[in-house]
Amino acid sequence: ISWLRSTVYGPFIILPKRNVPYPFAKPYKEVPIIFGEWWNADTEAVINQSLQTGAAANVSDAHTINGLPGLLYNCSARDTFKLKVKPGKTYLLRFINAALNDELFFSIANHTLTVVEADALYVKPFDTDTILITPGQTTNVLLKTKPHFPNATFLMAARTYVTGNAAFDNSTSAGILEYEPESSHSSSSNISRIKKLSLFKPVLPLLNDTSFATNFTNRLRSLANAQFPANVPQTVDRRFFFTVGLGTSPCPKNQTCQGPNGTKFAAAVNNVSFALPTTALLQAHFFGQSKGVYSASFPSYPVFPFNYTGTPPNNTFVSNGTKVVVLPFNASVELVMQDTSIVTVEN
């Protein structure tokens, strides 16, 4: 709900049906890893200020891995997530990006990740040194540890992938992949040994490395086997073309706004900026009381087509409304989503 999603969060893990195996070898252990953000400010105050002034919202103060910022920030060396592993094992890492607005690159030094699942769908496995994960997205990977104790520890790091020209949290969260030593040593000697080990650091893509981002997402393919088929509809009942992007709204009278040219920033789909209703949409629909709650007039295509990736139109104002598309049950829908260059292009 709003930016409250930055406060308390955790994973819901959906397992296969009982006695149904994964379409890959059973991992030794499963570990959820949640990316988030650390805010010194009250996030509700941040977004409310942005909505009032029409300016872009302030950014977070740090990124986190399982709630901990890590050792690359001045104040949080002790607050570092450690993933302790055994040599010669396979771990299933369940990544979740719970950051509000930041797409993130993530990598573990000197280790390869095998992507096996994205957004609750199995994919054709592929190896990568770095993953890209967007807000609200999940990605599951297999991590095969080195066959023997490597006499080293390994940094794992997450930082932003940037495409727009707005401010962003330009900081890196880090955790440590730590191999458990052989049990022949005492725990105190093991701790002192680990402290003396070399720490290898990963090389992340550049902040604006769109070619990496594109190549990574192009490798995501449905598993599409007999057990997990990709049943794409062969006929289409309704077709939609949605432009998704930014725009502006006029500044209210007697108010100073901090968006482009004294306006307010707005987001829109097909130039309609969504107005939150006071009655739940499905409630109004099922009780036949939609009048005054929403309009079923959401445009299937842009009302005023333009060169979406070229020079933006002079008029960047959006319309506002609680507009929806009403579809018959079980309809097959084709939806094309197109970013626009209004205000800025974004991934």
Side-chain angles (χ1 to χ4, degrees), residues 37-305:
E37 290 172 287
W38 182 279
W39 296 79
N40 289 335
D42 172 5
T43 51
E44 287 300 285
V46 172
I47 184 59
N48 286 339
Q49 180 187 28
S50 174
L51 291 172
Q52 188 172 356
T53 64
N58 290 338
V59 300
S60 56
D61 297 281
H63 292 114
T64 60
I65 299 175
N66 278 354
L68 301 172
L71 69 170
L72 299 183
Y73 298 99
N74 293 330
C75 56
S76 59
R78 293 181 182 179
D79 301 312
T80 300
F81 172 69
K82 290 185 178 180
L83 176 59
K84 296 186 177 183
V85 296
K86 294 181 178 180
K89 302 290 186 184
T90 299
Y91 292 77
L92 179 64
L93 307 182
R94 297 180 176 273
F95 293 113
I96 303 170
N97 185 354
L100 290 182
N101 300 303
D102 289 343
E103 304 176 55
L104 297 170
F105 292 124
F106 173 84
S107 183
I108 303 176
N110 293 24
H111 286 74
T112 299
L113 306 173
T114 303
V115 178
V116 292
E117 190 178 326
D119 291 329
L121 287 173
Y122 294 124
V123 298
K124 289 184 174 69
F126 66 90
D127 293 341
T128 182
D129 296 330
T130 303
I131 68 164
L132 171 66
I133 185 166
T134 61
Q137 189 177 21
T138 63
T139 303
N140 290 356
V141 308
L142 296 176
L143 170 69
K144 292 184 179 178
T145 58
K146 299 186 182 300
H148 306 290
F149 184 75
N151 282 321
T153 55
F154 304 91
L155 203 70
M156 43 189 182
R159 78 171 179 209
T160 311
Y161 164 51
V162 185
T163 53
N165 56 14
F168 63 94
D169 182 344
N170 187 13
S171 67
T172 303
S173 178
I176 293 177
L177 180 72
E178 190 177 284
Y179 280 74
E180 296 179 3
E182 296 86 348
S183 55
S184 56
H185 301 85
S186 68
S187 59
S188 59
S189 65
N190 278 339
I191 292 171
S192 61
R193 279 182 71 204
I194 290 170
K195 285 183 177 178
K196 295 175 184 175
L197 294 176
S198 302
L199 177 63
F200 288 93
K201 298 178 180 179
V203 179
L204 288 167
L206 296 174
L207 290 164
N208 60 351
D209 194 342
T210 293
S211 62
F212 175 89
T214 303
N215 290 335
F216 179 83
T217 52
N218 282 346
R219 297 176 74 186
L220 293 170
R221 292 283 183 267
S222 300
L223 189 56
N225 61 14
Q227 189 178 4
F228 300 100
N231 292 323
V232 179
Q234 299 301 300
T235 58
V236 174
D237 301 315
R238 293 283 300 276
R239 286 182 167 85
F240 298 98
F241 186 96
F242 286 177
T243 57
V244 182
L246 294 172
T248 57
S249 290
C251 190
K253 289 183 178 179
N254 303 322
Q255 186 178 332
T256 302
C257 296
Q258 299 171 11
N261 302 317
T263 63
K264 283 187 166 191
F265 273 117
V269 180
N270 277 359
N271 210 45
V272 178
S273 191
F274 186 67
L276 280 170
T278 53
T279 303
L281 295 177
L282 285 178
Q283 177 184 332
H285 172 71
F286 281 115
F287 287 98
Q289 298 172 342
S290 62
K291 190 174 182 181
V293 178
Y294 67 83
S295 163
S297 60
F298 190 89
S300 302
Y301 292 84
V303 178
F304 300 106

Side-chain angles (χ1 to χ4, degrees), residues 317-337:
F317 286 153
V318 302
S319 63
N320 288 277
T322 310
K323 298 183 178 183
V324 304
V325 171
V326 179
L327 292 167
F329 178 72
N330 214 26
S332 295
V333 173
E334 178 187 271
L335 170 58
V336 177
M337 289 189 283

